[in-house]
Amino acid sequence: MIDNYTVLATFPYSTEAQITKSKLENEGVSVLLLDEKTVDSDPLISQAIGGVKLLVANADFEKALQIYNDIRPYEVDSEGNAIACPSCQSNHILIAPLERKNLFYMLFPFFEKTKYICNDCKTIF
């Protein structure tokens, strides 16, 4: 049964996953939560197991992705203003996944400058 589902997003806590699940179900998307009870019983292991996984039916994936991109929280600057993409001017900005190749930043990750990625055009800046 789980082979017919794809992970749409992961969340550190089940409450965030439940809100998104409710919205998707309201739009007619078939949704499952994985590891929800495990994280609820011991929230400290959430990061170790990869958090609560929100799975959607493969047939509904594109619809679910569009809905999720409309409701998901995007990054803001230190003053609370939306960050704009330098390429397409979109405000759908996320923190880019890190690929630390420098030993210094592996040992001291807090010195590394945050990189952002545009969720629309995929520009990293």
Side-chain angles (χ1 to χ4, degrees):
M1 179 176 156
I2 216 161
D3 294 337
N4 299 331
Y5 286 82
T6 303
V7 176
L8 177 68
T10 58
F11 301 90
Y13 303 107
S14 65
T15 51
E16 298 171 51
Q18 284 290 348
I19 292 169
T20 306
K21 178 183 181 233
S22 297
K23 174 63 175 170
L24 291 172
E25 285 179 333
N26 190 39
E27 298 288 334
V29 176
S30 181
V31 182
L32 293 175
L33 290 179
L34 193 61
D35 295 330
E36 172 192 20
K37 301 297 182 200
T38 306
V39 170
D40 284 346
S41 65
D42 188 1
L44 297 176
I45 65 167
S46 178
Q47 187 175 8
I49 64 170
V52 178
K53 292 126 191 112
L54 179 77
L55 289 86
V56 296
N58 291 339
D60 296 332
F61 188 78
E62 290 301 320
K63 179 180 178 183
L65 183 61
Q66 183 178 8
I67 294 167
Y68 181 61
N69 283 336
D70 289 340
I71 65 170
R72 75 187 305 171
Y74 290 103
E75 296 301 316
V76 294
D77 63 13
S78 59
E79 297 171 2
N81 301 319
I83 301 171
C85 174
S87 296
C88 68
Q89 302 307 314
S90 170
N91 292 329
H92 296 160
I93 306 300
L94 302 168
I95 294 179
L98 297 175
E99 295 180 16
R100 293 189 177 107
K101 295 179 182 171
N102 185 324
L103 180 62
F104 178 78
Y105 290 127
M106 288 181 190
L107 296 173
F108 305 103
F110 42 85
F111 285 117
E112 191 169 16
K113 187 178 181 225
T114 303
K115 292 184 180 179
Y116 298 101
I117 185 168
C118 178
N119 200 35
D120 294 334
C121 70
K122 306 300 182 210
T123 301
I124 297 176
F125 58 97

